[in-house]
Amino acid sequence: MTVPLDLDEIHDTLHASRSDFTEDEQLDQLVNGETCMISYSGKQSPIKGRRFILSGSFNPLHEGHLKLLDAACSVAECVPCFEMSAINADKPPLTVNEIKKRVGQFTERGKTIIVTNQPFFYKKAELLADSSFVIGIDTAIRLIDPKYYEGSHAKMLEVLMGIQKLGCDFIVAGRKVAECYQTLEDVQIPAQLRPMFKAIPKEDFRADISSTELRQKPGWKLGML
């Protein structure tokens, strides 16, 4: 990339420098807002196509996550990625050790994970433009609920259409919500937003267990799955 600096050839001199940081230092910078994201590339062969991203806390990563992203990628040729935010809107930031622990679940499997400091999709979209976010139907319901936008339907539309302008959309999997299995067909999406939401066929994916439920089971550690 060439950046015009408008240097005065007589009075100005350009000096370039490079700083190398350890993984812990980079993660500290991420949590403190000094950098936006860190990518841990997997060992998968390069695949051409759109980036499909499954976001989550992954505490722990389980087979449902892996199968969900696989199912989403069966819809179209894509580059599969996972994304985790070190910052949570309702909880303290993750520690460096906790981030490394959760990232290790992916690197040991050769999966790509991007660690960001953005818990909200409209901010993730700014960092990861032209991507498809893979979500469950429960997340889709929250995304179009005005109560999460200070009760404003107009603000909800503004935020989601802003995501759309960044070239992002959502790939939606059905799941159990309030003891009832729901799919995208059961949700009334505003007409302006319908092109943003695409369904994963029910026959391609169904997993009703969450990370929270998994942690409550004896021997939930990833290595025991």
Side-chain angles (χ1 to χ4, degrees), residues 27-41:
L27 290 173
D28 264 330
Q29 292 167 357
L30 181 76
V31 172
N32 294 328
E34 298 169 36
T35 187
C36 297
M37 61 181 176
I38 299 172
S39 179
Y40 293 80
S41 297

Side-chain angles (χ1 to χ4, degrees), residues 39-48 50-54 61 65-71 73 78-83 105-114:
S39 179
Y40 293 80
S41 297
K43 299 177 183 178
Q44 299 155 318
S45 300
I47 303 173
K48 293 182 179 180
R50 185 176 176 84
R51 184 168 46 197
F52 277 27
I53 302 173
L54 177 58
L61 169 68
H65 296 130
L66 301 172
K67 290 179 180 178
L68 172 54
L69 189 52
D70 285 345
C73 288
C78 69
V79 179
C81 303
F82 295 87
E83 184 271 337
Q105 301 175 107
F106 298 90
T107 55
E108 67 186 18
R109 288 172 172 251
K111 305 294 184 182
T112 295
I113 180 165
I114 302 167

Side-chain angles (χ1 to χ4, degrees), residues 6-217:
D6 298 324
L7 298 179
D8 184 318
E9 295 182 1
I10 299 176
H11 301 98
D12 295 328
T13 304
L14 178 64
H15 297 277
S17 63
R18 174 187 173 93
S19 298
D20 294 316
F21 300 97
T22 66
E23 180 184 8
D24 284 14
E25 288 172 332
Q26 291 181 66
L27 290 173
D28 264 330
Q29 292 167 357
L30 181 76
V31 172
N32 294 328
E34 298 169 36
T35 187
C36 297
M37 61 181 176
I38 299 172
S39 179
Y40 293 80
S41 297
K43 299 177 183 178
Q44 299 155 318
S45 300
I47 303 173
K48 293 182 179 180
R50 185 176 176 84
R51 184 168 46 197
F52 277 27
I53 302 173
L54 177 58
S55 298
S57 59
F58 305 114
N59 185 32
L61 169 68
H62 58 73
E63 290 301 318
H65 296 130
L66 301 172
K67 290 179 180 178
L68 172 54
L69 189 52
D70 285 345
C73 288
S74 70
V75 174
E77 188 175 31
C78 69
V79 179
C81 303
F82 295 87
E83 184 271 337
M84 176 180 71
S85 177
I87 305 298
N88 189 296
D90 305 312
K91 300 176 184 177
L94 298 179
T95 64
V96 167
N97 286 338
E98 184 61 29
I99 295 172
K100 292 170 68 175
K101 174 184 172 184
R102 297 189 194 184
V103 165
Q105 301 175 107
F106 298 90
T107 55
E108 67 186 18
R109 288 172 172 251
K111 305 294 184 182
T112 295
I113 180 165
I114 302 167
V115 185
T116 72
N117 55 11
Q118 300 297 342
F120 301 112
F121 277 109
Y122 74 96
K123 286 295 185 180
K124 296 181 195 293
E126 291 177 0
L127 295 179
L128 303 163
D130 298 313
S131 298
S132 292
F133 292 99
V134 182
I135 61 175
I137 190 63
D138 52 333
T139 300
I141 292 170
R142 290 195 297 271
L143 278 173
I144 61 171
D145 190 337
K147 81 175 183 180
Y148 295 103
Y149 303 85
E150 300 175 351
S152 170
H153 182 83
K155 187 171 183 179
M156 178 269 291
L157 291 176
E158 179 185 357
V159 169
L160 291 178
M161 292 180 74
I163 293 175
Q164 187 178 45
K165 287 179 181 178
L166 290 166
C168 295
D169 57 16
F170 298 97
I171 309 297
V172 186
R175 69 176 300 176
K176 188 183 293 184
V177 179
E179 301 304 317
C180 178
Y181 189 84
Q182 297 187 35
T183 68
L184 198 57
E185 295 179 352
D186 301 310
V187 180
Q188 291 188 343
I189 306 289
Q192 306 97 309
L193 304 177
R194 284 175 194 159
M196 292 183 66
F197 293 85
K198 301 175 179 65
I200 297 174
K202 182 178 178 180
E203 59 270 20
D204 289 349
F205 176 82
R206 176 164 181 167
D208 296 331
I209 191 168
S210 67
S211 292
T212 301
E213 292 169 328
L214 190 58
R215 286 197 300 271
Q216 295 170 353
K217 292 179 176 292

